[in-house]
Amino acid sequence: MNKITAEHLGRSAYIYIRQSSTYQVVNNLESQRRQYGLAERARQLGWEAVEIIDEDLGKSGGGGTERPGFQKLLAAICEGRVGAVFSLEASRLARNGRDWHSLLEFCAVVGTLIVDEDGLYDPRLINDRLLLGMKGTMSEMEVSVFRQRSAEAIKQKARRGELLTTVAVGYVKTDDNRIEMDPDRRVRDAIALVFRKFSELQSIRQVLLWFRDEEVMLPRAIYGGGAQRITWTLPVYTTLHHMLTNPVYAGTYAFGRRGSKAVIKDGQKRQTRESFRRNWNDWDVLIRDHHTGYISWEAFKKTQSVIAHNANRSGFGARGAIRKGEALLPGLLRCARCGRRLRVAYSGKGGNTQRYVCHGTFGSKARANCIAFGGMRIDRAVSAEVLDRLQPLGIEAALSAASAQVEKRHETLQQVENALQQARFEAKRTQRQYDAVDPDNRLVADELERRWNDKLRQVYNLEIDIERLQTEPQPSASVPDRERLMSLGADLGQAWDSPGVTPETRKRILRLMIREIIVDMTEDSLPLIIHWQGGDHTRLSIKKNKAGHTRWVIAGDTLDLIRTLARQMHDEHIASILNRAGKVTGKGLTWNRSRICSVRRNHNIPVYREGERQERGELTLDEAATILNVSPSTVRRLIKTGELVAIQTCKGAPWIIRQDEVQKDSVRQAADARRARRPASRDPNQITMQL
């Protein structure tokens, strides 16, 4: 029975063309010719309108690969524009059951035929549908078997450590399928320098800044034509991150560091690469001492731990990278109540006040913070504990610091000398090429001459850099500097508080010594446990500041003075007297009216009101002089000789004289006596000068 009807011929015939990989598209041309030849077969069967869909060349038919050409075919079938779908075999149309059965279902609904080299099928007929279903299942099974065999062969080769697709920069592949260090000394020195600088700076970003500031270039591998070529460029973050996280530099062969997972995207299965690396315990293959490494395996694990803890947003388990700020313990403090890492909060003018806070479950459960306390006292206590353990190593650290100054310059100079040596070799090689060419062949000679000049210019620039580095003042410590380093080494406390030591340096030292600190808070103390890097631990209890008692609190005698003066005068006069007496605020500032008001408000000191002194029976110096009919200077002499009892709170403050003291007969007699000894003025109009 003929399955092709006039209705089928009235629609278009669609030729679906697909090859699984780019390699097949480039090299397997016979398969392409056979598939494009299906258009002629469609015309022989009676179709005049023939559409070719070849958007999926180079795309796999397995599940998880997006195929726009196949989606275009399904859309045309659903619109009723397809009379028949032509393909060499079922595997061309789909290699997974979902796509295959979707195609059969749509073709059965709209009456579209499926044609391959073996025959013509109508999905509406049960026998044809059964045969097509079996073909699709066999196609899916076939690709699964191929994939499984290939994967097992790859894993088997990887278990022997012989699966070497590409070789990391710094290594070369030998003829007997091994890898060994690059014989180029410049490449080896540059890569070794990366690991030394990370061990010193403990941060990929700081290593990157050092390399770019010093303009030290790193090798980069370029693959093409089946060979590896090395170029030299200033590093970027990804280059350093790849070097520091690649186990090949630890002499280790690893396979399966990343996996793949299937996700549902737009209603379809998609196979994607994982965005995170597996833990090294979960790698498929791990062979230590597979080849010579730039660092040891233990150093590699320590490097990975430092990189993981430098991630500031990787959860409560990471310590975070060292950042700016005066607080010394961010990333080290962990709450004893909820186990979360404490965060630091800066406040005040210029951020000069820091507090450690554990937010606990505040964000998810709207609860209050677990603990919060000031940071200065705990910073000082932990620093003192660390310095106590480092004190025996102080002299050794001072000597290391002196030699490190010279070593830093030597590393930069060594890299430039290596670059100069390679540049001279390339210049000589270019010269030999230029000498070997016929001078009359200007098309070639001109280009070789230009290359030779470029190499000579590069050599000249490197020689200038070396001369500059050699003529710059050497960083070696002079005799006074060495003596100062030795004195600081003998007293690490003095070195720790030295103005030249940055908070970042102190934080780095603390992290080298301390793994973490478990801290809790009681009513009057901060109990904490210091877990050292070596596995030991120390218990401490730090006394808390009382409420309102901070480093900015004013001195007690100054507060008492304000209490006394507030009963005698207004705020602006109090400020003047305190400034003359050399008294300052808690932050070391001078006094003014607003600051006096703030202190009175915080300590509940009432403001002075007029007539208050008179109610208490207190007189000023001028008022006492008026009552005694003497000059104020005479009253001062009476006070100085003890004949009149008076009180002065501080130097510059007004004298407080009791009225009943002035009314005493002894005081009046003393005043009369002094007035009688005063010589009479010849001018009867002369009056007493008020002092």
Side-chain angles (χ1 to χ4, degrees):
M1 182 177 65
N2 188 8
K3 299 177 183 178
I4 302 176
T5 65
E7 181 183 359
H8 294 133
L9 296 177
R11 305 175 188 173
S12 299
Y14 274 66
I15 314 300
Y16 181 74
I17 300 174
R18 184 186 65 80
Q19 287 181 291
S20 299
S21 64
T22 305
Y23 177 84
Q24 293 180 0
V25 174
V26 175
N27 298 285
N28 196 353
L29 301 180
E30 287 301 323
S31 175
Q32 288 185 37
R33 296 190 184 99
R34 290 179 62 198
Q35 294 185 65
Y36 281 107
L38 292 174
E40 182 61 28
R41 184 184 177 190
R43 295 187 181 94
Q44 292 175 359
L45 291 176
W47 273 278
E48 295 181 357
V50 178
E51 298 285 342
I52 295 178
I53 298 178
D54 55 2
E55 286 91 335
D56 293 343
L57 283 172
K59 295 183 180 294
S60 172
T65 303
E66 187 174 357
R67 293 188 292 159
F70 186 76
Q71 297 300 324
K72 179 179 178 181
L73 175 63
L74 291 181
I77 293 173
C78 294
E79 294 172 0
R81 297 188 286 109
V82 182
V85 178
F86 285 77
S87 180
L88 284 182
E89 55 188 10
S91 64
R92 298 299 93 194
L93 289 169
R95 284 281 195 174
N96 65 91
R98 180 188 181 279
D99 291 347
W100 178 247
H101 289 287
S102 296
L103 176 66
L104 294 184
E105 192 66 31
F106 292 157
C107 290
V109 171
V110 300
T112 299
L113 303 178
I114 295 178
V115 184
D116 64 9
E117 286 192 328
D118 296 331
L120 188 150
Y121 310 94
D122 187 350
R124 291 177 295 185
L125 302 178
I126 188 63
N127 289 334
D128 288 1
R129 190 179 181 91
L130 176 62
L131 183 57
L132 289 171
M134 293 178 62
K135 282 194 170 187
T137 302
M138 292 177 62
S139 175
E140 185 177 11
M141 182 64 182
E142 182 183 29
V143 72
S144 298
V145 171
F146 288 161
R147 185 176 291 121
Q148 182 179 3
R149 290 175 180 174
S150 176
E152 288 301 323
I154 290 175
K155 288 183 179 180
Q156 183 64 27
K157 191 173 183 179
R159 293 188 187 101
R160 300 195 304 268
E162 299 176 358
L163 182 63
L164 304 172
T165 53
T166 59
V167 181
V169 62
Y171 288 96
V172 294
K173 186 177 179 180
T174 62
D175 296 335
D176 55 349
N177 203 31
R178 295 184 301 103
I179 61 173
E180 59 184 20
M181 283 189 173
D182 196 315
D184 191 335
R185 179 164 56 86
R186 183 187 178 191
V187 174
R188 297 196 310 271
D189 290 348
I191 294 177
L193 180 60
V194 172
F195 291 99
R196 288 201 306 271
K197 298 310 294 184
F198 183 84
S199 177
E200 173 188 346
L201 301 176
Q202 300 287 299
S203 168
I204 298 180
R205 182 176 180 275
Q206 295 300 321
V207 174
L208 174 64
L209 293 176
W210 185 89
F211 271 89
R212 298 192 75 90
D213 290 343
E214 297 292 332
E215 296 184 353
V216 176
M217 293 188 290
L218 289 180
R220 183 168 66 92
I222 297 179
Y223 300 93
Q228 173 180 305
R229 184 167 58 89
I230 298 296
T231 62
W232 291 84
T233 60
L234 289 176
V236 294
Y237 184 88
T238 53
T239 300
L240 295 176
H241 187 275
H242 174 73
M243 284 187 180
L244 293 168
T245 57
N246 195 340
V248 70
Y249 295 104
T252 301
Y253 178 87
F255 177 78
R257 292 192 295 155
R258 288 181 177 271
S260 61
K261 62 181 179 180
V263 297
I264 304 299
K265 183 179 180 181
D266 299 331
Q268 292 189 358
K269 174 185 174 183
R270 294 285 182 263
Q271 201 77 14
T272 61
R273 297 283 292 176
E274 291 182 354
S275 59
F276 57 90
R277 290 180 173 84
R278 293 176 175 176
N279 187 282
W280 65 272
N281 292 317
D282 299 328
W283 293 347
D284 295 337
V285 179
L286 178 63
I287 305 176
R288 300 182 189 175
D289 301 325
H290 177 264
H291 52 271
T292 305
Y294 287 85
I295 58 174
S296 65
W297 175 252
E298 295 301 324
F300 173 77
K301 290 197 299 182
K302 183 178 179 181
T303 299
Q304 306 318 300
S305 176
V306 173
I307 293 174
H309 281 291
N310 282 347
N312 289 293
R313 299 189 179 184
S314 60
F316 294 104
R319 296 191 298 183
I322 295 176
R323 292 183 171 184
K324 294 182 179 179
E326 296 295 328
L328 301 181
L329 303 178
L332 295 178
L333 295 174
R334 190 172 298 280
C335 179
R337 302 182 182 182
C338 67
R340 287 176 168 81
R341 180 162 53 94
L342 272 68
R343 303 184 183 277
V344 63
Y346 293 96
S347 61
K349 188 175 181 180
N352 51 14
T353 302
Q354 65 261 17
R355 288 178 61 81
Y356 294 110
V357 181
C358 175
H359 295 293
T361 56
F362 178 79
S364 59
K365 299 182 180 179
R367 296 181 179 176
N369 297 333
C370 285
I371 55 177
F373 49 86
M376 292 194 63
R377 183 167 292 189
I378 189 173
D379 283 356
R380 288 197 297 266
V382 173
S383 300
E385 199 71 19
V386 170
L387 292 177
D388 184 60
R389 283 159 173 74
L390 288 178
Q391 187 62 50
L393 304 176
I395 300 299
E396 182 179 350
L399 296 176
S400 300
S403 61
Q405 294 178 342
V406 181
E407 183 66 23
K408 180 179 179 180
R409 176 63 60 87
H410 174 73
E411 290 174 344
T412 304
L413 183 61
Q414 180 65 39
Q415 295 300 317
V416 179
E417 289 177 347
N418 290 341
L420 176 60
Q421 185 175 351
Q422 182 176 352
R424 285 173 175 170
F425 164 75
E426 293 177 354
K428 291 180 180 179
R429 183 178 61 181
T430 308
Q431 181 183 5
R432 289 194 299 268
Q433 293 174 349
Y434 176 78
D435 294 339
V437 74
D438 188 347
D440 295 333
N441 189 359
R442 300 312 305 171
L443 295 176
V444 178
D446 289 346
E447 175 62 20
L448 293 177
E449 184 179 6
R450 184 190 64 80
R451 295 181 182 179
W452 185 18
N453 289 332
D454 291 342
K455 297 298 181 181
L456 291 176
R457 190 177 298 108
Q458 184 178 0
V459 170
Y460 176 74
N461 292 334
L462 290 172
E463 288 175 345
I464 291 179
D465 291 341
I466 289 181
E467 183 179 358
R468 174 179 56 81
L469 291 173
Q470 291 176 343
T471 56
E472 284 182 354
Q474 294 296 322
S476 57
S478 60
V479 174
D481 291 338
R482 290 183 61 86
E483 292 178 354
R484 182 171 181 271
L485 280 175
M486 297 302 292
S487 65
L488 292 177
D491 185 2
L492 285 183
Q494 179 186 358
W496 185 266
D497 297 328
S498 176
V501 180
T502 63
E504 289 77 10
T505 303
R506 297 188 182 101
K507 294 176 189 178
R508 189 172 291 114
I509 295 174
L510 292 176
R511 292 195 176 197
L512 289 175
M513 296 287 295
I514 300 174
R515 182 164 55 88
E516 68 175 5
I517 302 173
I518 309 299
V519 60
D520 200 355
M521 186 174 68
T522 62
E523 184 176 351
D524 58 351
S525 64
L526 297 172
L528 53 89
I529 304 175
I530 302 176
H531 292 277
W532 304 95
Q533 292 289 3
D536 197 5
H537 65 272
T538 302
R539 294 182 179 272
L540 290 178
S541 181
I542 302 174
K543 187 177 180 181
K544 284 175 52 181
N545 286 332
K546 295 182 179 179
H549 285 229
T550 66
R551 57 172 171 160
W552 307 125
V553 68
I554 63 175
D557 59 339
T558 304
L559 181 61
D560 294 337
L561 185 58
I562 294 175
R563 291 182 188 276
T564 303
L565 295 177
R567 306 277 55 80
Q568 304 176 40
M569 59 189 66
H570 296 290
D571 293 343
E572 57 270 17
H573 301 304
I574 298 176
S576 300
I577 291 175
L578 292 180
N579 291 332
R580 287 198 299 268
K583 305 295 183 180
V584 294
T585 66
K587 296 184 179 181
L589 305 176
T590 58
W591 291 97
N592 54 33
R593 182 178 178 277
S594 62
R595 289 167 183 160
I596 296 294
C597 290
S598 177
V599 171
R600 286 194 303 94
R601 183 171 58 253
N602 293 336
H603 294 84
N604 298 320
I605 302 175
V607 67
Y608 174 77
R609 57 181 177 81
E610 294 294 340
E612 183 178 347
R613 289 187 298 101
Q614 289 78 1
E615 293 176 0
R616 294 196 301 269
E618 296 177 353
L619 301 174
T620 64
L621 198 68
D622 293 338
E623 292 172 344
T626 301
I627 294 174
L628 295 176
N629 194 22
V630 293
S631 65
S633 59
T634 301
V635 176
R636 285 196 184 91
R637 285 192 290 270
L638 293 175
I639 295 173
K640 185 176 181 181
T641 58
E643 296 172 290
L644 176 61
V645 177
I647 300 175
Q648 188 181 35
T649 308
C650 68
K651 185 177 181 181
W655 287 96
I656 302 175
I657 305 172
R658 299 288 302 177
Q659 189 171 3
D660 53 1
E661 290 290 335
V662 177
Q663 299 297 336
K664 288 182 178 180
D665 295 338
S666 59
V667 175
R668 287 185 173 276
Q669 292 174 3
D672 293 341
R674 289 184 179 276
R675 188 170 56 250
R677 290 198 300 268
R678 183 177 60 190
S681 175
R682 296 180 181 179
D683 187 358
N685 297 323
Q686 182 176 341
I687 61 177
T688 303
M689 183 175 63
Q690 300 294 328
L691 299 177

